[in-house]
Amino acid sequence: MDIKKDQKEYLGALKSSGLKNTKHRCSLLEILFNESQPLNAEEIFFRIKEKTAEINLSTVYRNLEVLVNKGLVTKLTFPGDSKSLYEYNKMGHRHYIVCISCKKIMTIEHCPLQEYELSLEKETGFKINAHKLVMFGYCPECNKK
Amino acid sequence: MDIKKDQKEYLGALKSSGLKNTKHRCSLLEILFNESQPLNAEEIFFRIKEKTAEINLSTVYRNLEVLVNKGLVTKLTFPGDSKSLYEYNKMGHRHYIVCISCKKIMTIEHCPLQEYELSLEKETGFKINAHKLVMFGYCPECNKK
DNA sequence: TTGGATGCAAAAGTTTTGCACGGTT
DNA sequence: AACCGTGCAAAACTTTTGCATCCAA
């Protein structure tokens, strides 16, 4: 497989997390790394089959599980989708805006919740580690219709 | 079944949505109405079996589906839980704070995101209808350990 | 060489569905 | 009476697991 500049990041991450650099693992990471939308296991499975090599769906699930545990990949669930979604973890959390009509998912980098977390910690006594924010609406294209 | 004051709300909602007032549907709504935490289908199933009457799990699922479609109940999914959760829809959205350790879910009434939605609409071109915010952390009890 | 990675098949777990019967309006 | 709701069993669907084999370090 051709190793481009932008692939070094996840290859390094693989190595430093003690995981073997296998063909399947590598294509899986490449797909997620270059994808702006979270994908489900089956989508990843078909992409690897089409573009790279024959692979088994359980291999995809097993690799996703390992990569999630090592923190390289994040697992997501959205209401209305029975399948879990996965994305490359670019460090620094992100939020999502989902189109109710066409189901397109767009990523939002800015997070408005830092100060809110502090006030909520005081209010509830929780020690807050993370949060998940998803917005729902109609994307510009679907909104026209 | 004894009809108390606080049950009138969901009984009325049943009627005005054109759904039949059946024994199971009624106990299901009563359980969700009086519960502060979202419950999954199996938990609802066992509660009805214990407190009210024999019921089949598929009946629970079918009723939940109808009630979600009518907007009386909201369906939720949390990462790390393969089961969907359901709650009575009290109108006016709510947010959740989930304990990473004991999995307790607490509901937050205040929402800090009104202004943010407006700025995001301008930024993305989306027409935003709703959002979902979940906070994760350690509840006061688990935090002590 | 050795332990992890993979394919295959089967299992597990959640949710849905077909069909006959029963209950509400 | 008509239609919706229910129970039961089976199916569908996503995800996990056991086991034999293969491959990267």
Side-chain angles (χ1 to χ4, degrees):
Chain A
M1 181 169 310
D2 186 34
I3 300 182
K4 299 169 202 150
K5 259 188 201 161
D6 65 356
Q7 292 181 7
K8 283 187 181 163
E9 174 180 327
Y10 64 77
L11 287 179
L14 255 193
K15 194 164 195 174
S16 63
S17 60
L19 296 174
K20 284 187 181 168
N21 177 351
T22 67
K23 184 177 57 172
H24 292 330
R25 195 115 80 199
C26 195
S27 2
L28 197 164
L29 277 174
E30 183 183 0
I31 286 167
L32 289 186
F33 186 81
N34 294 316
E35 180 61 48
S36 62
Q37 292 192 11
L39 301 175
N40 66 44
E42 205 179 11
E43 289 167 338
I44 296 167
F45 168 68
F46 282 123
R47 292 205 190 185
I48 295 179
K49 272 183 90 163
E50 285 167 14
K51 297 186 189 171
T52 315
E54 200 58 31
I55 187 174
N56 193 282
L57 182 56
S58 63
T59 303
V60 174
Y61 274 110
R62 271 191 278 232
N63 273 317
L64 286 170
E65 189 192 9
V66 170
L67 294 169
V68 167
N69 287 339
K70 293 293 181 180
L72 295 186
V73 166
T74 302
K75 182 178 183 178
L76 308 164
T77 38
F78 291 96
D81 189 351
S82 59
K83 300 180 186 174
S84 296
L85 303 181
Y86 301 85
E87 68 168 359
Y88 188 84
N89 185 356
K90 294 222 167 58
M91 296 303 160
H93 68 276
R94 302 184 293 173
H95 297 157
Y96 304 92
I97 184 165
V98 182
C99 180
I100 296 166
S101 171
C102 70
K103 312 298 177 196
K104 175 169 38 190
I105 298 174
M106 186 178 152
T107 302
I108 305 163
E109 304 283 346
H110 167 67
C111 169
L113 293 164
Q114 283 89 358
E115 320 82 41
Y116 179 64
E117 283 197 354
L118 291 176
S119 67
L120 198 62
E121 286 192 336
K122 283 177 192 155
E123 187 185 321
T124 64
F126 269 67
K127 173 76 189 67
I128 296 174
N129 285 49
H131 63 245
K132 179 180 165 184
L133 171 62
V134 187
M135 317 290 298
F136 300 91
Y138 292 97
C139 70
E141 293 79 45
C142 291
N143 206 19
K144 284 174 194 160
K145 299 165 194 170
Chain B
M1 181 169 311
D2 187 32
I3 299 183
K4 298 170 203 148
K5 259 187 200 164
D6 64 358
Q7 293 180 7
K8 283 186 181 165
E9 175 180 328
Y10 64 77
L11 287 178
L14 254 193
K15 195 163 195 176
S16 63
S17 60
L19 297 174
K20 283 186 182 170
N21 177 350
T22 67
K23 184 176 59 172
H24 291 330
R25 195 114 80 197
C26 194
S27 3
L28 198 163
L29 277 174
E30 183 182 0
I31 286 167
L32 290 186
F33 186 82
N34 294 315
E35 180 61 47
S36 62
Q37 292 191 11
L39 301 174
N40 66 44
E42 206 180 11
E43 289 167 338
I44 296 167
F45 168 68
F46 282 124
R47 292 205 190 186
I48 295 180
K49 271 182 91 162
E50 286 167 15
K51 296 186 190 171
T52 314
E54 201 58 31
I55 186 175
N56 193 280
L57 183 55
S58 63
T59 302
V60 174
Y61 275 110
R62 271 192 276 232
N63 273 317
L64 286 170
E65 190 191 9
V66 170
L67 294 169
V68 167
N69 286 340
K70 293 292 182 182
L72 295 187
V73 166
T74 301
K75 183 178 182 177
L76 308 165
T77 39
F78 291 96
D81 189 352
S82 60
K83 299 181 187 175
S84 296
L85 303 181
Y86 301 84
E87 68 169 1
Y88 188 83
N89 186 358
K90 292 222 166 60
M91 297 301 160
H93 69 275
R94 301 185 292 173
H95 296 157
Y96 305 92
I97 185 165
V98 182
C99 180
I100 296 166
S101 171
C102 70
K103 312 298 176 196
K104 175 170 36 189
I105 298 174
M106 187 179 151
T107 301
I108 305 164
E109 304 283 345
H110 167 67
C111 168
L113 291 164
Q114 283 89 356
E115 318 83 40
Y116 179 65
E117 284 196 355
L118 291 176
S119 66
L120 198 62
E121 286 192 337
K122 284 176 192 157
E123 186 186 321
T124 64
F126 269 67
K127 172 78 189 67
I128 296 175
N129 285 49
H131 63 245
K132 179 182 165 181
L133 171 62
V134 187
M135 316 291 298
F136 299 92
Y138 292 97
C139 70
E141 292 79 45
C142 292
N143 207 20
K144 284 176 195 161
K145 299 167 193 170

